[in-house]
């Protein structure tokens, strides 16, 4: 009865449509980029292909808002002028490679996961309402009526029995669909989020000054023992003869 299974179902079901569209667009952009990389006159087209893949990955990152926060991202900035620098920053960025992995290579596995999880959740959910429409199985005739007669769900007692069994199965199905949604999100986060250094905090502590850091004090002024001109003028010169 909570919102978690429904949000998870929305996240998985939207991937069937949005993920398929992103897979098609990203694959086409990658193929265009591979062909354009063989020609020197189509460098702008290669940059556009990288931008298209990046936009598709941004849509996939934003879908995570259904069950969690959007996935963060970091792309390389163009620090030098010129088309070659722009091309290097866009196409040689490791983030673009990870975008292609998530949008293209992992698409069949994630799609299969979502289909199985939605089937395990929606089929028991539909069977709970079977007493409301079980007569349609026998009225439709043909194979549907034979299947209904074989499993004895074409009658009200059979439909009630199936609905009761499905009702007992729903809590497990709800947990399964939530688990599948979080597994999908975990895979997407592992691929699409920026790679962080696990030793970053340790390196920061080592590079920072410790509690016994040496403090640079102001240089001391030395006291000169040499006589000043005024002092020589006032002091009698006893060593002078005559």
């Amino acid at each position: 009865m909570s919102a978690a299974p429904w949000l998870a179902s929305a996240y998985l079901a939207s991937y069937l449509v949005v993920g398929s569209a992103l897979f098609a667009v990203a694959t086409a952009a990658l193929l265009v980029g591979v062909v354009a990389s063989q020609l020197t006159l189509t460098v702008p087209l290669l940059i556009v292909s990288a931008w298209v893949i990046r936009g598709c990955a941004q849509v996939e990152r934003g879908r995570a808002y259904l069950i969690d926060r959007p996935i963060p991202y970091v792309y390389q900035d163009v620090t030098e002028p010129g088309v070659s620098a722009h091309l290097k920053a866009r196409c040689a960025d490791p983030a673009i490679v990870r975008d292609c992995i998530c949008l293209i290579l992992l698409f069949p596995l994630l799609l299969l996961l979502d289909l199985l999880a939605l089937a395990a959740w929606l089929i028991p959910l539909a069977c709970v309402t079977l007493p409301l429409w079980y007569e349609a199985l026998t009225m439709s005739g043909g194979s549907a009526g034979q299947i209904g007669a074989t499993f004895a769900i074409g009658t009200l007692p059979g439909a009630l029995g199936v609905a009761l069994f499905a009702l007992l199965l729903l809590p497990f199905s709800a947990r399964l669909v939530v688990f599948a949604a979080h597994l999908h999100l975990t895979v997407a986060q592992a691929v699409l989020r920026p790679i962080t250094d696990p030793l970053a905090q340790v390196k920061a502590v080592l590079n920072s000054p410790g509690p016994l850091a040496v403090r640079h004090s102001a240089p001391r002024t030395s006291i000169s023992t040499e006589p000043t001109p005024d002092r020589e003028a006032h002091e009698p010169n006893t060593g002078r003869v005559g």
Side-chain angles (χ1 to χ4, degrees):
M1 299 300 294
S2 65
W6 305 104
L7 293 177
S9 300
Y11 179 73
L12 298 178
S14 63
Y15 186 76
L16 303 182
V17 180
V18 179
S20 301
L22 296 179
F23 169 76
V25 174
T27 302
L30 181 62
L31 294 177
V32 171
V34 171
V35 175
S37 63
Q38 307 300 324
L39 304 174
T40 57
L41 298 178
T42 55
V43 173
L45 187 60
L46 184 59
I47 299 176
V48 171
S49 300
W51 272 104
V52 170
I53 295 175
R54 177 175 173 175
C56 293
Q58 291 293 76
V59 175
E60 181 62 24
R61 290 186 180 97
R63 277 195 336 107
Y65 186 75
L66 291 173
I67 55 178
D68 200 356
R69 294 176 298 177
I71 303 175
Y73 62 93
V74 173
Y75 289 96
Q76 290 183 357
D77 297 329
V78 182
T79 57
E80 299 179 0
V83 179
S84 60
H86 193 85
L87 180 63
K88 182 179 180 181
R90 293 291 173 256
C91 299
D93 192 353
I96 296 294
V97 178
R98 295 195 300 270
D99 293 347
C100 294
I101 292 175
C102 182
L103 296 173
I104 300 174
L105 294 182
L106 295 179
F107 172 73
L109 297 178
L110 295 177
L111 183 65
L112 180 62
L113 172 67
D114 296 357
L115 285 174
L116 294 178
L118 287 174
W121 163 247
L122 295 178
I123 290 177
L125 192 63
C127 290
V128 171
T129 62
L130 184 62
L132 302 177
W133 53 273
Y134 73 96
E135 295 181 353
L137 296 176
T138 56
M139 293 177 59
S140 60
S143 59
Q146 294 176 3
I147 294 175
T150 302
F151 291 95
I153 61 176
T155 60
L156 182 59
L160 291 175
V162 173
L164 180 61
F165 178 76
L167 186 62
L168 297 177
L169 194 63
L170 272 182
F172 302 98
S173 301
R175 292 180 180 272
L176 179 61
V177 73
V178 172
F179 172 77
H182 282 86
L183 179 60
H184 186 141
L185 180 61
T186 301
V187 173
Q189 287 177 341
V191 180
L192 294 179
R193 68 184 177 186
I195 299 177
T196 56
D197 188 2
L199 300 178
Q201 296 182 353
V202 177
K203 293 179 180 179
V205 172
L206 294 177
N207 294 329
S208 61
L212 300 180
V214 178
R215 296 182 179 179
H216 298 283
S217 58
R220 296 181 179 179
T221 58
S222 60
I223 301 176
S224 177
T225 58
E226 298 180 357
T228 60
D230 296 338
R231 185 177 178 182
E232 292 180 353
H234 289 85
E235 290 182 354
N237 190 354
T238 58
R240 183 177 301 177
V241 180

